[in-house]
Amino acid sequence: MHAPRIQLGVNIDHVATLRQARGTRYPDPVQAALLAEEAGADGITVHLREDRRHIQERDIRLLAETLNTRMNLEMAVTEAMIRLAEEVRPAHVCLVPEKREELTTEGGLDVVGGFEAVQAACRRLAAAGSEVSLFIDPEPAQIEAAARAGAPVIELHTGAYAEASGQAARDEHARIAAATEMALELGLTVNAGHGLHYHNVEAIAAIGGIHELNIGHAIIARAMFVGLKEAVAEMKRLVIAGQEAGLLAALDEYDHDHAHGHQHG
Ligand SMILES: CC(=O)[C@@H](O)[C@H](O)COP(=O)(O)O
Ligand SMILES: NCC(=O)COP(=O)(O)O
């Protein structure tokens, strides 16, 4: 059973968090991005927040000129952010919700409630050459609206899964797996992210059909102790191992069903 190798997008926001803590030039997120690429990152994700708490416009412009892989620019659905993306033209733009008082992204984008604005943003950003993804909760209504809005990609919010444990975590995992299956049937590319770390990532990577995982906070935290390149390489090994385990499980299930006469569509 062959599947395209799952991709790892490394989010470098929190390198910038450390820089902004003192207003110094270091650590430079651009340097971090190039090191992450050397360690195997398939892309670099950056969230330009309206309150500029970490990533700055300067970072975005320099990354656009220096990355060897591809930039995934996360941003709110605002006129200012859309105009910046139309100017910078990143390979990918991920539309995310933003509340100034939030510690981190709390929920998925409400595509259903803000359909016209999201659809218009998808059109403008696609016209500028960016591939648009919508950061949404694993909810059927939001997935259907995302497809209708014209986004070719969704990123499933894994925050609830990451915060849960025991049966609740298993339930959230099943919710993400079902959302992935529904989205694939609608022809969407499915990414996932938020709150993933070294102990919960493999189960998400094992979900069949997931194209990319975007992971940041846990990698940057690990880098404090092992260095950024090792932290990225370790996460990439886990993500690939997770996908392989998922493929093997699917193959075992196929062989079992086949041996017992179940026909597959
Ligand atoms: C959308 C998402 O889940 C993250 O990529 C986002 O960047 C979180 O915001 P902070 O990076 O500010 O925690
Ligand atoms: N979209 C998720 C992302 O880019 C990274 O989220 P996190 O790993 O920092 O929680």
Side-chain angles (χ1 to χ4, degrees), residues 9-11 13-14 45-46 72 74 94 96 104 135 155 192-196 214-219:
V10 175
N11 182 315
D13 290 350
H14 298 299
T45 293
V46 280
N72 174 32
E74 293 182 335
C94 183
V96 304
T104 184
F135 186 75
E155 179 168 331
H194 196 88
L196 296 178
N214 283 297
I215 304 170
H217 184 265
I219 291 175

Side-chain angles (χ1 to χ4, degrees), residues 173-251:
H173 182 274
R175 193 167 162 238
I176 294 164
T180 301
E181 189 173 351
M182 175 187 173
L184 292 172
E185 285 168 3
L186 291 173
L188 293 168
T189 295
V190 183
N191 297 341
H194 196 88
L196 296 178
H197 56 63
Y198 293 81
H199 304 288
N200 69 7
V201 69
E202 287 182 90
I204 297 293
I207 295 173
I210 285 194
H211 168 70
E212 175 173 285
L213 297 183
N214 283 297
I215 304 170
H217 184 265
I219 291 175
I220 304 308
R222 185 69 154 245
M224 304 282 277
F225 301 107
V226 304
L228 181 57
K229 291 184 76 171
E230 176 52 29
V232 171
E234 198 177 334
M235 183 59 80
K236 181 146 183 187
R237 284 195 295 270
L238 286 174
V239 166
I240 292 171
Q243 182 189 42
E244 287 170 350
L247 289 172
L248 283 174
L251 200 56

